[in-house]
């Protein structure tokens, strides 16, 4: 009898497929709600924990440096971020959220994001089990 236990990579592909393929509606709603491309929201979210250099921000958002600069320029023009000289390294600048930037992120994250039908169709027992498993995976 063959072993039918999935590998961790197989389970990971299933999880990412479920999440990534069901978020388009939410992303469109966020774009409508904020009036900005979703890439701007991704950058703003990365700045929630605190200021980052452009290089750190590009890495955190998985964007290249030129694209990050374009986004940061736009966000700065909108009054959502500021650039200030990094006191630890005066050759670099730190990018920080403004109060308006924090409000924009909060507004974006308040956009309704209902569960996909596949998840809503699970039994209460399956939902509890999935919830328990996902809690174990949280860091």
């Amino acid at each position: 009898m063959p072993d039918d236990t999935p590998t961790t990579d197989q389970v990971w592909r299933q999880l990412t497929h479920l999440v990534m393929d069901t978020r388009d509606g939410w992303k469109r709603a966020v774009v409508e709600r904020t009036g900005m491309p979703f890439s701007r929201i991704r950058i703003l979210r990365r700045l929630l924990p605190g200021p980052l250099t452009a290089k750190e921000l590009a890495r955190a958002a998985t964007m290249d440096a030129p694209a990050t600069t374009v986004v940061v320029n736009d966000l700065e023009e909108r009054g959502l971020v500021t650039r200030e000289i990094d006191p630890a390294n005066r050759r670099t600048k730190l990018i920080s959220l403004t109060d308006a930037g924090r409000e924009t992120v909060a507004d974006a994250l308040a956009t309704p994001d209902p569960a996909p039908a596949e998840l809503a169709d699970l039994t209460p027992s399956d939902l509890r089990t999935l919830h328990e498993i996902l809690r174990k995976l949280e860091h």
Side-chain angles (χ1 to χ4, degrees):
M1 181 169 179
D3 183 10
D4 62 351
T5 303
T7 66
T8 53
D9 289 341
Q10 289 170 321
V11 173
W12 178 245
R13 278 191 295 278
Q14 288 176 294
L15 282 170
T16 58
H17 173 74
L18 175 66
V19 172
M20 294 177 85
D21 288 353
T22 59
R23 297 298 300 248
D24 290 343
W26 177 74
K27 288 179 181 180
R28 278 191 295 280
V30 167
V31 167
E32 272 185 38
R33 188 175 190 142
T34 63
M36 291 189 298
F38 195 79
S39 61
R40 276 43 174 184
I41 303 303
R42 286 180 59 231
I43 290 288
L44 293 174
R45 285 184 67 191
R46 296 321 185 275
L47 292 169
L48 277 175
L52 296 172
T53 66
K55 186 176 184 177
E56 292 168 335
L57 186 55
R59 186 174 37 250
T62 61
M63 295 173 71
D64 62 27
T68 303
T69 299
V70 168
V71 172
V72 170
N73 288 343
D74 178 53
L75 293 172
E76 189 173 39
E77 287 174 19
R78 294 173 187 259
L80 303 176
V81 300
T82 60
R83 288 183 177 125
E84 297 174 354
I85 294 174
D86 182 352
N89 179 355
R90 298 192 55 77
R91 294 174 299 180
T92 61
K93 291 189 177 183
L94 289 174
I95 302 159
S96 304
L97 284 176
T98 63
D99 288 341
R102 274 186 272 293
E103 289 173 17
T104 300
V105 174
D107 192 33
L109 296 178
T111 305
D113 187 17
E118 298 84 358
L119 191 59
D121 290 342
L122 292 178
T123 66
S125 175
D126 285 345
L127 278 175
R128 273 191 302 281
T129 301
L130 180 57
H131 179 71
E132 290 169 14
I133 291 168
L134 292 173
R135 285 188 63 176
K136 288 180 185 179
L137 299 176
E138 288 177 337
H139 0 330

